[in-house]
Amino acid sequence: MGAAVALLDERGERGLTFRLLAKELDTGPGALYWHVANKDELVALAADQVLGQVFAAVPCAEEDAAVGLRALAVAVFDALDRHAWAASHVTAPAALANALRLLDRIGSLVMRAGVPAERHFAVATAISYYITGVSAQIVAPGITADAAVGREAFLARTAEGWEGLDPDDYPFLARTAANLRDHDDRDQFIAGLDLLLNGLNATAEAPSA
Amino acid sequence: MGAAVALLDERGERGLTFRLLAKELDTGPGALYWHVANKDELVALAADQVLGQVFAAVPCAEEDAAVGLRALAVAVFDALDRHAWAASHVTAPAALANALRLLDRIGSLVMRAGVPAERHFAVATAISYYITGVSAQIVAPGITADAAVGREAFLARTAEGWEGLDPDDYPFLARTAANLRDHDDRDQFIAGLDLLLNGLNATAEAPSA
DNA sequence: ACCTGAACACCGTTCAAGT
DNA sequence: ACCTGAACACCGTTCAAGT
């Protein structure tokens, strides 16, 4: 249902109501239960539809495997960044159509990347978990976006908190508070992804052609 | 509040109710609002308390940095595995006490691991995001655990679904369905973590002593 | 096969009033 | 400073009844 996605986008998961959605669709709340079992299923379906946008953005190209994985991962991050409510509902081994498609694409790229066959499953799921799990952490709503304060102000306030910590007790945080202020979420997602793909290359002996 | 954690453990996030918790505490529902602002804060506080168990399990040892990171990560996974509801509420750059402690521990270990100083922040947050994000994906409730069907049956059914897919359309899933049936969640978390740490070693020139 | 809409059994949250 | 508990404004979900 496209109407559900639109409503989720503007009012969040709590703001999506059967009554509201029903009114949007010019029907009664009970009618929706003919099409979905409950609200959980409704939101899961809507989230899977968001995930579907990825395949329109990233066609099944024949490039280098590592490049393909990167492009796919970034496309998922971008899609979830546009619809923060969806991130926590895209779980890797779900049975929904687009989640299946995503895992298969990742797996197919891993197979071409020179990974030993017995590690295909472990590597593919690790990458899949990274993409959806870390995206969910980064774009998590309720922290930066929907609060009255902007993202800038929130980070500045948190960074101040870190600076106020005892450097003996928190040697790392006190030192890196400045980095928090001006980091870019997307860059950070990519930095971790590259770390993971580096580890992949270090393990795989064969060339990734 | 320890009572909140206990209630969350046995009834899940939806099962935790202000009325129920109040009764457990021999008081009225309104009384709780003197101590927490709302339910979100209550759950976040309870989740942070779960995270606190990690530091009791993993003392601040002086071992090799990579070994320390592994131990810390696994301890977080195990803690969240015991309290599945908490996983999605432990977000990395939160301001809660134990989340701060965790990030600082990770960062301190990264500093000792031979990573160039300008990459400390990116690497530490990447590892932190992996730990909490991927744990949340793996232990996510509502899929394997709390349903009436057991985990075994659920995996078997999903694997059957994969096997039924068209191998031309889903070359990877159709081929690896068997792996899904008998995988171990914890091993998979560790496999991905090792991939990430491998990538770290490949980047860091200096020895990790 | 699919929609209607009133009704049920809850929730989180508030707030005047107490101690 | 902290608790009480009735009341408010909602929810998700069900179900007899319609078409």
Side-chain angles (χ1 to χ4, degrees), chain B residues 133-209:
Chain B
V134 174
S135 292
Q137 288 273 313
I138 293 182
V139 307
I143 307 286
T144 75
D146 64 354
V149 300
R151 176 193 140 88
E152 304 275 293
F154 172 80
L155 288 179
R157 193 147 39 80
T158 309
E160 259 177 61
W162 288 13
E163 277 158 1
L165 294 170
D166 178 358
D168 288 337
D169 242 27
Y170 296 88
F172 175 70
L173 293 184
R175 207 170 305 198
T176 49
N179 289 313
L180 179 66
R181 245 191 213 89
D182 51 51
H183 81 278
D184 182 86
D185 286 337
R186 197 168 183 269
D187 288 347
Q188 219 158 278
F189 174 79
I190 294 175
L193 179 69
D194 283 339
L195 223 48
L196 197 66
L197 296 179
N198 272 349
L200 189 57
N201 284 340
T203 315
E205 243 63 354
S208 57

Side-chain angles (χ1 to χ4, degrees), chain B residues 19 27-31 34-35:
Chain B
R19 278 164 243 259
T27 176
W34 186 261
H35 299 99

Side-chain angles (χ1 to χ4, degrees), chain B residues 49-180:
Chain B
Q49 182 165 306
V50 166
L51 193 57
Q53 300 175 358
V54 168
F55 306 116
V58 178
C60 199
E62 294 303 321
E63 40 203 344
D64 171 71
V67 175
L69 280 171
R70 245 184 82 122
L72 195 57
V74 172
V76 173
F77 176 84
D78 286 338
L80 295 180
D81 193 33
R82 283 192 301 268
H83 310 276
W85 54 269
S88 62
H89 294 278
V90 176
T91 57
L96 298 182
N98 289 315
L100 282 178
R101 183 116 265 155
L102 175 65
L103 184 53
D104 190 77
R105 284 262 196 123
I106 292 172
S108 300
L109 285 163
V110 167
M111 283 167 51
R112 286 206 271 128
V115 176
E118 73 274 14
R119 301 196 58 225
H120 283 175
F121 180 75
V123 170
T125 53
I127 293 175
S128 165
Y129 278 141
Y130 178 87
I131 294 174
T132 55
V134 174
S135 292
Q137 288 273 313
I138 293 182
V139 307
I143 307 286
T144 75
D146 64 354
V149 300
R151 176 193 140 88
E152 304 275 293
F154 172 80
L155 288 179
R157 193 147 39 80
T158 309
E160 259 177 61
W162 288 13
E163 277 158 1
L165 294 170
D166 178 358
D168 288 337
D169 242 27
Y170 296 88
F172 175 70
L173 293 184
R175 207 170 305 198
T176 49
N179 289 313
L180 179 66

Side-chain angles (χ1 to χ4, degrees), chain A residues 27-28 30-31 34-35:
Chain A
T27 177
W34 186 261
H35 300 99

